[in-house]
PDB file of all heavy atoms in Angstrom:
ATOM      1  N   GLN K   1     -48.274  -8.665  10.662  1.00 98.00           N
ATOM      2  CA  GLN K   1     -48.844  -7.595   9.849  1.00 98.00           C
ATOM      3  C   GLN K   1     -50.353  -7.481  10.054  1.00 98.00           C
ATOM      4  O   GLN K   1     -50.883  -6.371  10.168  1.00 98.00           O
ATOM      5  CB  GLN K   1     -48.523  -7.844   8.367  1.00 98.00           C
ATOM      6  CG  GLN K   1     -47.074  -7.583   8.031  1.00 98.00           C
ATOM      7  CD  GLN K   1     -46.726  -7.974   6.608  1.00 98.00           C
ATOM      8  OE1 GLN K   1     -46.409  -7.136   5.790  1.00 98.00           O
ATOM      9  NE2 GLN K   1     -46.770  -9.265   6.316  1.00 98.00           N
ATOM     10  N   LEU K   2     -51.058  -8.605  10.099  1.00 98.00           N
ATOM     11  CA  LEU K   2     -52.499  -8.543  10.299  1.00 98.00           C
ATOM     12  C   LEU K   2     -52.836  -7.948  11.664  1.00 98.00           C
ATOM     13  O   LEU K   2     -53.892  -7.333  11.839  1.00 98.00           O
ATOM     14  CB  LEU K   2     -53.115  -9.937  10.146  1.00 98.00           C
ATOM     15  CG  LEU K   2     -53.065 -10.505   8.723  1.00 98.00           C
ATOM     16  CD1 LEU K   2     -53.618 -11.930   8.690  1.00 98.00           C
ATOM     17  CD2 LEU K   2     -53.818  -9.624   7.730  1.00 98.00           C
ATOM     18  N   ALA K   3     -51.923  -8.104  12.627  1.00 98.00           N
ATOM     19  CA  ALA K   3     -52.131  -7.491  13.938  1.00 98.00           C
ATOM     20  C   ALA K   3     -51.977  -5.977  13.900  1.00 98.00           C
ATOM     21  O   ALA K   3     -52.492  -5.281  14.792  1.00 98.00           O
ATOM     22  CB  ALA K   3     -51.139  -8.085  14.948  1.00 98.00           C
ATOM     23  N   LEU K   4     -51.283  -5.449  12.884  1.00 98.00           N
ATOM     24  CA  LEU K   4     -50.916  -4.030  12.886  1.00 98.00           C
ATOM     25  C   LEU K   4     -51.517  -3.205  11.749  1.00 98.00           C
ATOM     26  O   LEU K   4     -51.454  -1.966  11.783  1.00 98.00           O
ATOM     27  CB  LEU K   4     -49.394  -3.910  12.825  1.00 98.00           C
ATOM     28  CG  LEU K   4     -48.641  -4.394  14.079  1.00 98.00           C
ATOM     29  CD1 LEU K   4     -47.152  -4.508  13.791  1.00 98.00           C
ATOM     30  CD2 LEU K   4     -48.893  -3.455  15.254  1.00 98.00           C
ATOM     31  N   LEU K   5     -52.087  -3.835  10.723  1.00 98.00           N
ATOM     32  CA  LEU K   5     -52.566  -3.078   9.559  1.00 98.00           C
ATOM     33  C   LEU K   5     -53.540  -1.958   9.922  1.00 98.00           C
ATOM     34  O   LEU K   5     -53.406  -0.838   9.398  1.00 98.00           O
ATOM     35  CB  LEU K   5     -53.211  -4.023   8.538  1.00 98.00           C
ATOM     36  CG  LEU K   5     -52.292  -4.996   7.802  1.00 98.00           C
ATOM     37  CD1 LEU K   5     -53.102  -5.811   6.796  1.00 98.00           C
ATOM     38  CD2 LEU K   5     -51.142  -4.283   7.104  1.00 98.00           C
ATOM     39  N   PRO K   6     -54.552  -2.192  10.775  1.00 98.00           N
ATOM     40  CA  PRO K   6     -55.483  -1.087  11.070  1.00 98.00           C
ATOM     41  C   PRO K   6     -54.811   0.111  11.719  1.00 98.00           C
ATOM     42  O   PRO K   6     -55.123   1.262  11.385  1.00 98.00           O
ATOM     43  CB  PRO K   6     -56.501  -1.747  12.011  1.00 98.00           C
ATOM     44  CG  PRO K   6     -56.449  -3.200  11.667  1.00 98.00           C
ATOM     45  CD  PRO K   6     -55.011  -3.457  11.376  1.00 98.00           C
ATOM     46  N   LEU K   7     -53.874  -0.133  12.644  1.00 98.00           N
ATOM     47  CA  LEU K   7     -53.165   0.972  13.287  1.00 98.00           C
ATOM     48  C   LEU K   7     -52.254   1.686  12.284  1.00 98.00           C
ATOM     49  O   LEU K   7     -52.104   2.910  12.325  1.00 98.00           O
ATOM     50  CB  LEU K   7     -52.348   0.465  14.472  1.00 98.00           C
ATOM     51  CG  LEU K   7     -53.158   0.035  15.703  1.00 98.00           C
ATOM     52  CD1 LEU K   7     -52.250  -0.610  16.738  1.00 98.00           C
ATOM     53  CD2 LEU K   7     -53.899   1.233  16.310  1.00 98.00           C
ATOM     54  N   ALA K   8     -51.634   0.922  11.387  1.00 98.00           N
ATOM     55  CA  ALA K   8     -50.796   1.541  10.359  1.00 98.00           C
ATOM     56  C   ALA K   8     -51.629   2.432   9.444  1.00 98.00           C
ATOM     57  O   ALA K   8     -51.244   3.574   9.148  1.00 98.00           O
ATOM     58  CB  ALA K   8     -50.078   0.465   9.547  1.00 98.00           C
ATOM     59  N   LYS K   9     -52.763   1.917   8.998  1.00 97.00           N
ATOM     60  CA  LYS K   9     -53.632   2.683   8.105  1.00 97.00           C
ATOM     61  C   LYS K   9     -54.106   3.972   8.766  1.00 97.00           C
ATOM     62  O   LYS K   9     -54.265   5.015   8.114  1.00 97.00           O
ATOM     63  CB  LYS K   9     -54.830   1.826   7.688  1.00 97.00           C
ATOM     64  CG  LYS K   9     -55.718   2.454   6.630  1.00 97.00           C
ATOM     65  CD  LYS K   9     -55.030   2.516   5.282  1.00 97.00           C
ATOM     66  CE  LYS K   9     -55.963   3.004   4.184  1.00 97.00           C
ATOM     67  NZ  LYS K   9     -55.275   3.141   2.892  1.00 97.00           N
ATOM     68  N   ALA K  10     -54.324   3.927  10.094  1.00 97.00           N
ATOM     69  CA  ALA K  10     -54.768   5.104  10.843  1.00 97.00           C
ATOM     70  C   ALA K  10     -53.603   5.973  11.314  1.00 97.00           C
ATOM     71  O   ALA K  10     -53.817   6.959  12.023  1.00 97.00           O
ATOM     72  CB  ALA K  10     -55.590   4.656  12.052  1.00 97.00           C
ATOM     73  N   ASP K  11     -52.380   5.606  10.935  1.00 96.00           N
ATOM     74  CA  ASP K  11     -51.167   6.340  11.320  1.00 96.00           C
ATOM     75  C   ASP K  11     -51.044   6.445  12.840  1.00 96.00           C
ATOM     76  O   ASP K  11     -50.755   7.501  13.392  1.00 96.00           O
ATOM     77  CB  ASP K  11     -51.150   7.732  10.689  1.00 96.00           C
ATOM     78  CG  ASP K  11     -49.748   8.340  10.661  1.00 96.00           C
ATOM     79  OD1 ASP K  11     -48.766   7.589  10.829  1.00 96.00           O
ATOM     80  OD2 ASP K  11     -49.645   9.575  10.495  1.00 96.00           O
ATOM     81  N   ARG K  12     -51.227   5.294  13.523  1.00 96.00           N
ATOM     82  CA  ARG K  12     -51.158   5.247  14.990  1.00 96.00           C
ATOM     83  C   ARG K  12     -50.045   4.322  15.465  1.00 96.00           C
ATOM     84  O   ARG K  12     -50.091   3.832  16.590  1.00 96.00           O
ATOM     85  CB  ARG K  12     -52.496   4.763  15.546  1.00 96.00           C
ATOM     86  CG  ARG K  12     -53.667   5.671  15.237  1.00 96.00           C
ATOM     87  CD  ARG K  12     -53.672   6.905  16.125  1.00 96.00           C
ATOM     88  NE  ARG K  12     -54.851   7.716  15.908  1.00 96.00           N
ATOM     89  CZ  ARG K  12     -55.274   8.668  16.739  1.00 96.00           C
ATOM     90  NH1 ARG K  12     -54.587   8.903  17.839  1.00 96.00           N
ATOM     91  NH2 ARG K  12     -56.343   9.371  16.455  1.00 96.00           N
ATOM     92  N   LEU K  13     -49.070   4.091  14.650  1.00 97.00           N
ATOM     93  CA  LEU K  13     -47.984   3.204  15.040  1.00 97.00           C
ATOM     94  C   LEU K  13     -46.933   3.950  15.852  1.00 97.00           C
ATOM     95  O   LEU K  13     -46.728   5.149  15.673  1.00 97.00           O
ATOM     96  CB  LEU K  13     -47.306   2.602  13.807  1.00 97.00           C
ATOM     97  CG  LEU K  13     -48.116   1.633  12.959  1.00 97.00           C
ATOM     98  CD1 LEU K  13     -47.301   1.206  11.752  1.00 97.00           C
ATOM     99  CD2 LEU K  13     -48.548   0.414  13.777  1.00 97.00           C
ATOM    100  N   GLY K  14     -46.257   3.210  16.714  1.00 96.00           N
ATOM    101  CA  GLY K  14     -45.106   3.722  17.441  1.00 96.00           C
ATOM    102  C   GLY K  14     -44.070   2.622  17.531  1.00 96.00           C
ATOM    103  O   GLY K  14     -43.925   1.816  16.616  1.00 96.00           O
ATOM    104  N   GLU K  15     -43.344   2.563  18.627  1.00 97.00           N
ATOM    105  CA  GLU K  15     -42.414   1.473  18.873  1.00 97.00           C
ATOM    106  C   GLU K  15     -43.218   0.192  19.084  1.00 97.00           C
ATOM    107  O   GLU K  15     -44.136   0.154  19.898  1.00 97.00           O
ATOM    108  CB  GLU K  15     -41.569   1.774  20.112  1.00 97.00           C
ATOM    109  CG  GLU K  15     -40.420   0.844  20.346  1.00 97.00           C
ATOM    110  CD  GLU K  15     -39.167   1.213  19.553  1.00 97.00           C
ATOM    111  OE1 GLU K  15     -39.210   2.178  18.760  1.00 97.00           O
ATOM    112  OE2 GLU K  15     -38.140   0.536  19.739  1.00 97.00           O
ATOM    113  N   ILE K  16     -42.876  -0.877  18.346  1.00 98.00           N
ATOM    114  CA  ILE K  16     -43.676  -2.110  18.334  1.00 98.00           C
ATOM    115  C   ILE K  16     -42.905  -3.228  19.016  1.00 98.00           C
ATOM    116  O   ILE K  16     -41.711  -3.430  18.759  1.00 98.00           O
ATOM    117  CB  ILE K  16     -44.014  -2.509  16.884  1.00 98.00           C
ATOM    118  CG1 ILE K  16     -44.854  -1.421  16.210  1.00 98.00           C
ATOM    119  CG2 ILE K  16     -44.741  -3.852  16.849  1.00 98.00           C
ATOM    120  CD1 ILE K  16     -44.915  -1.550  14.697  1.00 98.00           C
ATOM    121  N   HIS K  17     -43.604  -3.950  19.892  1.00 98.00           N
ATOM    122  CA  HIS K  17     -42.998  -5.074  20.606  1.00 98.00           C
ATOM    123  C   HIS K  17     -43.810  -6.337  20.308  1.00 98.00           C
ATOM    124  O   HIS K  17     -45.035  -6.334  20.408  1.00 98.00           O
ATOM    125  CB  HIS K  17     -42.992  -4.812  22.109  1.00 98.00           C
ATOM    126  CG  HIS K  17     -42.271  -3.545  22.479  1.00 98.00           C
ATOM    127  ND1 HIS K  17     -40.925  -3.504  22.758  1.00 98.00           N
ATOM    128  CD2 HIS K  17     -42.722  -2.265  22.588  1.00 98.00           C
ATOM    129  CE1 HIS K  17     -40.565  -2.259  23.028  1.00 98.00           C
ATOM    130  NE2 HIS K  17     -41.641  -1.492  22.926  1.00 98.00           N
ATOM    131  N   VAL K  18     -43.104  -7.414  19.927  1.00 98.00           N
ATOM    132  CA  VAL K  18     -43.769  -8.658  19.538  1.00 98.00           C
ATOM    133  C   VAL K  18     -43.033  -9.843  20.158  1.00 98.00           C
ATOM    134  O   VAL K  18     -41.806  -9.935  20.077  1.00 98.00           O
ATOM    135  CB  VAL K  18     -43.768  -8.852  18.002  1.00 98.00           C
ATOM    136  CG1 VAL K  18     -44.556 -10.105  17.631  1.00 98.00           C
ATOM    137  CG2 VAL K  18     -44.309  -7.623  17.286  1.00 98.00           C
ATOM    138  N   THR K  19     -43.810 -10.737  20.747  1.00 98.00           N
ATOM    139  CA  THR K  19     -43.320 -12.073  21.059  1.00 98.00           C
ATOM    140  C   THR K  19     -44.190 -13.048  20.280  1.00 98.00           C
ATOM    141  O   THR K  19     -45.422 -12.976  20.360  1.00 98.00           O
ATOM    142  CB  THR K  19     -43.401 -12.388  22.554  1.00 98.00           C
ATOM    143  OG1 THR K  19     -42.626 -11.444  23.276  1.00 98.00           O
ATOM    144  CG2 THR K  19     -42.870 -13.786  22.848  1.00 98.00           C
ATOM    145  N   GLY K  20     -43.567 -13.915  19.499  1.00 98.00           N
ATOM    146  CA  GLY K  20     -44.332 -14.853  18.676  1.00 98.00           C
ATOM    147  C   GLY K  20     -43.837 -16.273  18.882  1.00 98.00           C
ATOM    148  O   GLY K  20     -42.632 -16.512  18.979  1.00 98.00           O
ATOM    149  N   ILE K  21     -44.770 -17.205  18.944  1.00 97.00           N
ATOM    150  CA  ILE K  21     -44.417 -18.618  19.100  1.00 97.00           C
ATOM    151  C   ILE K  21     -44.951 -19.392  17.906  1.00 97.00           C
ATOM    152  O   ILE K  21     -46.089 -19.174  17.473  1.00 97.00           O
ATOM    153  CB  ILE K  21     -44.961 -19.183  20.435  1.00 97.00           C
ATOM    154  CG1 ILE K  21     -44.494 -20.621  20.636  1.00 97.00           C
ATOM    155  CG2 ILE K  21     -46.463 -19.059  20.535  1.00 97.00           C
ATOM    156  CD1 ILE K  21     -44.728 -21.140  22.047  1.00 97.00           C
ATOM    157  N   THR K  22     -44.117 -20.279  17.354  1.00 96.00           N
ATOM    158  CA  THR K  22     -44.493 -20.994  16.137  1.00 96.00           C
ATOM    159  C   THR K  22     -44.285 -22.491  16.274  1.00 96.00           C
ATOM    160  O   THR K  22     -43.448 -22.946  17.062  1.00 96.00           O
ATOM    161  CB  THR K  22     -43.667 -20.483  14.933  1.00 96.00           C
ATOM    162  OG1 THR K  22     -44.118 -21.110  13.730  1.00 96.00           O
ATOM    163  CG2 THR K  22     -42.183 -20.756  15.117  1.00 96.00           C
ATOM    164  N   GLY K  23     -45.047 -23.239  15.499  1.00 92.00           N
ATOM    165  CA  GLY K  23     -44.927 -24.692  15.472  1.00 92.00           C
ATOM    166  C   GLY K  23     -43.712 -25.167  14.706  1.00 92.00           C
ATOM    167  O   GLY K  23     -43.109 -24.427  13.919  1.00 92.00           O
ATOM    168  N   SER K  24     -43.367 -26.422  14.893  1.00 86.00           N
ATOM    169  CA  SER K  24     -42.132 -26.982  14.320  1.00 86.00           C
ATOM    170  C   SER K  24     -42.168 -27.076  12.800  1.00 86.00           C
ATOM    171  O   SER K  24     -41.117 -27.074  12.157  1.00 86.00           O
ATOM    172  CB  SER K  24     -41.855 -28.363  14.917  1.00 86.00           C
ATOM    173  OG  SER K  24     -42.933 -29.245  14.681  1.00 86.00           O
ATOM    174  N   THR K  25     -43.358 -27.147  12.198  1.00 82.00           N
ATOM    175  CA  THR K  25     -43.428 -27.223  10.739  1.00 82.00           C
ATOM    176  C   THR K  25     -42.925 -25.948  10.082  1.00 82.00           C
ATOM    177  O   THR K  25     -42.594 -25.956   8.893  1.00 82.00           O
ATOM    178  CB  THR K  25     -44.858 -27.501  10.261  1.00 82.00           C
ATOM    179  OG1 THR K  25     -45.744 -26.529  10.844  1.00 82.00           O
ATOM    180  CG2 THR K  25     -45.307 -28.901  10.647  1.00 82.00           C
ATOM    181  N   GLY K  26     -42.860 -24.844  10.836  1.00 73.00           N
ATOM    182  CA  GLY K  26     -42.332 -23.602  10.290  1.00 73.00           C
ATOM    183  C   GLY K  26     -40.868 -23.703   9.906  1.00 73.00           C
ATOM    184  O   GLY K  26     -40.370 -22.894   9.121  1.00 73.00           O
ATOM    185  N   ALA K  27     -40.161 -24.706  10.450  1.00 63.00           N
ATOM    186  CA  ALA K  27     -38.742 -24.889  10.141  1.00 63.00           C
ATOM    187  C   ALA K  27     -38.532 -25.739   8.899  1.00 63.00           C
ATOM    188  O   ALA K  27     -37.387 -25.973   8.494  1.00 63.00           O
ATOM    189  CB  ALA K  27     -38.032 -25.531  11.332  1.00 63.00           C
ATOM    190  N   GLY K  28     -39.610 -26.218   8.268  1.00 63.00           N
ATOM    191  CA  GLY K  28     -39.480 -27.039   7.068  1.00 63.00           C
ATOM    192  C   GLY K  28     -39.325 -28.509   7.378  1.00 63.00           C
ATOM    193  O   GLY K  28     -39.167 -28.927   8.530  1.00 63.00           O
ATOM    194  N   GLN K  29     -39.355 -29.314   6.300  1.00 66.00           N
ATOM    195  CA  GLN K  29     -39.364 -30.767   6.454  1.00 66.00           C
ATOM    196  C   GLN K  29     -37.972 -31.357   6.662  1.00 66.00           C
ATOM    197  O   GLN K  29     -37.822 -32.425   7.252  1.00 66.00           O
ATOM    198  CB  GLN K  29     -40.022 -31.400   5.228  1.00 66.00           C
ATOM    199  CG  GLN K  29     -40.355 -32.876   5.395  1.00 66.00           C
ATOM    200  CD  GLN K  29     -41.085 -33.413   4.182  1.00 66.00           C
ATOM    201  OE1 GLN K  29     -40.698 -33.171   3.054  1.00 66.00           O
ATOM    202  NE2 GLN K  29     -42.167 -34.147   4.411  1.00 66.00           N
ATOM    203  N   LYS K  30     -36.941 -30.689   6.182  1.00 67.00           N
ATOM    204  CA  LYS K  30     -35.588 -31.217   6.310  1.00 67.00           C
ATOM    205  C   LYS K  30     -35.189 -31.272   7.777  1.00 67.00           C
ATOM    206  O   LYS K  30     -35.235 -30.262   8.487  1.00 67.00           O
ATOM    207  CB  LYS K  30     -34.596 -30.355   5.530  1.00 67.00           C
ATOM    208  CG  LYS K  30     -33.190 -30.917   5.500  1.00 67.00           C
ATOM    209  CD  LYS K  30     -32.266 -30.056   4.649  1.00 67.00           C
ATOM    210  CE  LYS K  30     -30.863 -30.632   4.601  1.00 67.00           C
ATOM    211  NZ  LYS K  30     -29.947 -29.812   3.766  1.00 67.00           N
ATOM    212  N   PRO K  31     -34.780 -32.431   8.293  1.00 64.00           N
ATOM    213  CA  PRO K  31     -34.463 -32.559   9.720  1.00 64.00           C
ATOM    214  C   PRO K  31     -33.321 -31.632  10.137  1.00 64.00           C
ATOM    215  O   PRO K  31     -32.333 -31.465   9.419  1.00 64.00           O
ATOM    216  CB  PRO K  31     -34.055 -34.026   9.862  1.00 64.00           C
ATOM    217  CG  PRO K  31     -34.668 -34.719   8.691  1.00 64.00           C
ATOM    218  CD  PRO K  31     -34.662 -33.719   7.585  1.00 64.00           C
ATOM    219  N   GLN K  32     -33.510 -31.028  11.303  1.00 70.00           N
ATOM    220  CA  GLN K  32     -32.489 -30.197  11.917  1.00 70.00           C
ATOM    221  C   GLN K  32     -32.420 -30.549  13.398  1.00 70.00           C
ATOM    222  O   GLN K  32     -33.312 -31.195  13.940  1.00 70.00           O
ATOM    223  CB  GLN K  32     -32.839 -28.706  11.769  1.00 70.00           C
ATOM    224  CG  GLN K  32     -33.055 -28.242  10.345  1.00 70.00           C
ATOM    225  CD  GLN K  32     -33.542 -26.815  10.290  1.00 70.00           C
ATOM    226  OE1 GLN K  32     -33.002 -25.928  10.945  1.00 70.00           O
ATOM    227  NE2 GLN K  32     -34.588 -26.569   9.509  1.00 70.00           N
TER     228      GLN K  32
END
């Protein structure tokens, strides 16, 4: 969202493509 808010506010959005990589803590503490 922080990557897109200015374009959204300016009504300049179109088809959006995102690749995101996250650290292991994003999965929580319970082992998986």
Side-chain angles (χ1 to χ4, degrees):
Q1 287 174 114
L2 292 176
L4 292 168
L5 291 182
L7 288 173
K9 187 70 174 177
D11 199 17
R12 298 283 185 164
L13 293 177
E15 190 84 357
I16 298 164
H17 303 270
V18 184
T19 301
I21 184 167
T22 185
S24 58
T25 53
Q29 192 176 46
K30 186 177 181 180
Q32 304 174 47

